């Protein structure tokens, strides 16, 4: 089974930084798109950033220039570096993965949560 485990959340002052990690295990597919989503109380889950195995990266407008998604394939880990954090960034952050077996994910649809097969349990970020 594929498992995604997030870590790195916490409490930070406005303007501060955090780095989230998502460690994947049991993943045997040759392709993927990994995404970071967040959900605040009373709000819908929204896409924050996504990255394909080839390195193509995508960002929500609200985080462009502040957040950076990256990957370390040797460690099966995806990171989300979050700088200049704002109170409105407070949310539960989830890591998601899709094998691309059934669809193609890219610039126009990476941020639709329904496109992802696998999800982590989430890590809380409070600013």
């Amino acid at each position: 089974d594929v498992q995604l485990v997030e870590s790195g959340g916490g409490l930070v002052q406005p303007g501060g930084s955090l780095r989230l990690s998502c460690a994947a295990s049991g993943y045997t597919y040759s392709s993927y798109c990994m995404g970071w989503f967040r959900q605040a109380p009373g709000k819908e889950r929204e896409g924050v950033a996504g990255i394909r195995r080839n390195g193509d990266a995508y960002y929500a407008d609200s985080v462009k220039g502040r957040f950076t998604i990256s990957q370390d394939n040797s460690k099966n880990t995806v990171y989300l570096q979050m700088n200049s954090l704002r109170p409105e960034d407070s949310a539960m952050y989830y890591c998601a993965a899709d094998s691309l077996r059934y669809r193609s994910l890219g610039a126009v649809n990476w941020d639709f949560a329904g496109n992802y097969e696998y999800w982590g349990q989430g890590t809380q970020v409070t600013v």
Side-chain angles (χ1 to χ4, degrees):
D1 290 348
V2 175
Q3 288 192 326
L4 304 176
V5 179
E6 303 97 333
S7 61
L11 175 65
V12 64
Q13 295 287 333
S17 298
L18 283 174
R19 188 176 81 155
L20 305 184
S21 300
C22 173
S25 61
Y27 195 91
T28 60
Y29 307 112
S30 59
S31 298
Y32 62 74
C33 182
M34 303 288 291
W36 283 100
F37 288 77
R38 65 187 181 188
Q39 189 167 21
K43 294 188 176 181
E44 292 187 357
R45 190 168 296 192
E46 63 172 350
V48 176
I51 190 166
R52 291 170 56 100
R53 187 183 181 97
N54 65 1
D56 290 346
Y58 315 102
Y59 297 93
D61 288 343
S62 60
V63 306
K64 281 181 181 176
R66 301 188 299 124
F67 291 10
T68 303
I69 189 170
S70 61
Q71 59 190 348
D72 185 338
N73 291 332
S74 67
K75 297 181 179 179
N76 294 326
T77 301
V78 174
Y79 304 96
L80 185 68
Q81 177 66 42
M82 306 186 296
N83 299 328
S84 303
L85 283 161
R86 305 167 180 168
E88 54 264 38
D89 294 318
S90 297
M92 184 70 78
Y93 281 70
Y94 298 91
C95 176
D98 187 74
S99 65
L100 306 183
R101 290 178 293 170
Y102 308 114
R103 62 188 66 83
S104 177
L105 293 185
V108 298
N109 62 352
W110 67 270
D111 57 346
F112 180 55
N115 283 336
Y116 290 81
E117 297 172 274
Y118 308 104
W119 289 85
Q121 293 300 307
T123 185
Q124 179 68 41
V125 171
T126 303
V127 184

